[in-house]
């Protein structure tokens, strides 16, 4: 399922969310934040830096990058601790959390 993460600071990412294993691929061409939080509360800085060295040039993703969770993908895109279940939305503006609760209710 195609999902989007947009912020007022210019972040504009497109992802592909897999409902069965809850993984998310941030697509090539997505625009990500140029900064990374250095807050002591945020422990994902090293991971983000590693992924950005391999998958991004400045603020643009140069090849698709897969993450095991929507939140890790959101952290990569925003550069700060981000709840991916709320940040990523479908074309209608529904959060992943809302979509997953609807799927669970149907089962």
């Amino acid at each position: 399922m195609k999902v989007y993460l947009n912020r007022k600071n210019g972040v504009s990412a497109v992802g592909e969310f897999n409902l069965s294993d809850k993984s998310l691929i941030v697509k090539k061409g997505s625009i990500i934040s140029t900064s990374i939080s250095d807050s002591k509360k945020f422990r994902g800085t090293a991971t983000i830096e590693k992924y950005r060295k391999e998958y991004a040039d400045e603020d643009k993703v140069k090849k698709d990058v897969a993450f095991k969770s929507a939140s890790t993908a959101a952290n990569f895109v925003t550069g700060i601790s981000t709840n991916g279940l709320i940040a990523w939305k479908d074309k209608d503006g529904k959060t992943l959390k809302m979509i997953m609760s609807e799927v669970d209710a149907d089962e």
Side-chain angles (χ1 to χ4, degrees), residues 85-100:
L85 297 179
I86 296 170
W88 291 100
K89 299 176 181 174
D90 71 5
K91 65 179 177 21
D92 299 320
K94 283 186 184 177
T95 65
L96 286 178
K97 186 174 184 177
M98 293 167 68
I99 293 164
M100 290 184 342

Side-chain angles (χ1 to χ4, degrees), residues 5 7 42 70-72 74-75 78-85 87:
L5 196 163
R7 294 279 166 95
F42 181 51
S71 290
T72 306
N75 295 346
T78 63
I80 60 173
S81 181
T82 306
N83 182 338
L85 297 179

Side-chain angles (χ1 to χ4, degrees), residues 9-100:
N9 65 353
V11 167
S12 179
V14 177
E16 190 67 37
F17 183 70
N18 183 323
L19 269 168
S20 62
D21 68 5
K22 303 196 179 20
S23 64
L24 195 145
I25 297 171
V26 177
K27 303 303 273 182
K28 176 184 177 180
S30 292
I31 306 299
I32 61 175
S33 172
T34 56
S35 63
I36 300 173
S37 174
D38 61 356
S39 168
K40 292 188 186 332
K41 291 180 186 177
F42 181 51
R43 298 188 178 183
T45 302
T47 301
I48 290 174
E49 288 173 345
K50 179 183 115 180
Y51 274 93
R52 286 191 175 186
K53 281 181 186 172
E54 184 173 349
Y55 294 100
D57 284 329
E58 306 246 350
D59 68 341
K60 196 172 212 173
V61 178
K62 60 185 178 181
K63 59 183 175 178
D64 291 358
V65 54
F67 294 94
K68 292 180 182 176
S69 79
S71 290
T72 306
N75 295 346
F76 169 78
V77 168
T78 63
I80 60 173
S81 181
T82 306
N83 182 338
L85 297 179
I86 296 170
W88 291 100
K89 299 176 181 174
D90 71 5
K91 65 179 177 21
D92 299 320
K94 283 186 184 177
T95 65
L96 286 178
K97 186 174 184 177
M98 293 167 68
I99 293 164
M100 290 184 342

